[in-house]
Amino acid sequence: MLIADPDAELRRRVAKLVRELADDAGLDVALDQASDGTMALAAIADHRPRLLVSEVLLPGLNGLRLLRRIRADHGKATAVVFVTTMNRDTDRYWALRNGAHAYVTKPFEDEQLRQRIRPLLLEGGDARPERML
């Protein structure tokens, strides 16, 4: 699993949440972190994670461009959840239209993110994505 966000504290928070979910499900999940889109793309090419949790507003390569590259290069093998400050309906629409599985806006409740991530940890890219507006 990969967490891509320029905010180190948010990466730690999401990592803790994912570890708890993985422990509850009896899964062994390797966690990688990236602070920008270019680092995230390299980590995806190297490790092929089943799940990416990412901010849309990433330095270097923004989250939507990163998503398009992932889909072009790896198909749906990596499920993508955006956790972002971009809170307009059109932002959510385009993220889901381009292949994101879920879209959560900041600030968020941990339980809200758990509900989006849990099925993706278990099923990966085969999990059903959120519906578009």
Side-chain angles (χ1 to χ4, degrees):
M1 193 207 141
L2 176 64
I3 304 165
D5 195 290
D7 181 346
E9 183 56 39
L10 183 106
R11 291 194 311 267
R12 281 190 289 276
R13 179 180 171 195
V14 173
K16 180 178 183 276
L17 188 145
V18 169
R19 281 188 196 99
E20 291 169 356
L21 284 171
D23 288 346
D24 289 348
L27 298 173
D28 184 23
V29 176
L31 287 171
D32 287 324
Q33 297 185 24
S35 59
D36 66 47
T38 305
M39 290 172 60
L41 187 61
I44 289 165
D46 289 346
H47 304 289
R48 304 281 172 101
R50 287 180 49 147
L51 175 61
L52 165 65
V53 175
S54 178
E55 168 63 76
V56 172
L57 298 173
L58 290 173
L61 181 67
N62 76 42
L64 289 175
R65 289 186 178 175
L66 174 62
L67 173 62
R68 285 192 291 271
R69 291 284 302 273
I70 291 167
R71 293 296 175 250
D73 296 347
H74 308 289
K76 292 190 177 189
T78 299
V80 176
V81 173
F82 282 116
V83 178
T84 182
T85 56
M86 304 288 290
N87 62 6
R88 297 178 313 188
D89 288 340
T90 54
D91 299 323
R92 181 177 181 273
Y93 172 83
W94 285 110
L96 297 174
R97 172 103 171 132
N98 280 286
H101 280 76
Y103 196 89
V104 177
T105 56
K106 296 175 185 174
F108 62 90
E109 297 292 327
D110 287 354
E111 185 56 32
Q112 178 186 18
L113 189 55
R114 275 188 196 94
Q115 290 176 3
R116 301 307 192 296
I117 291 176
R118 185 178 292 119
L120 298 171
L121 279 176
L122 299 175
E123 302 172 38
D126 294 332
R128 186 176 179 170
E130 282 185 27
R131 292 181 17 179
M132 289 186 281
L133 300 175

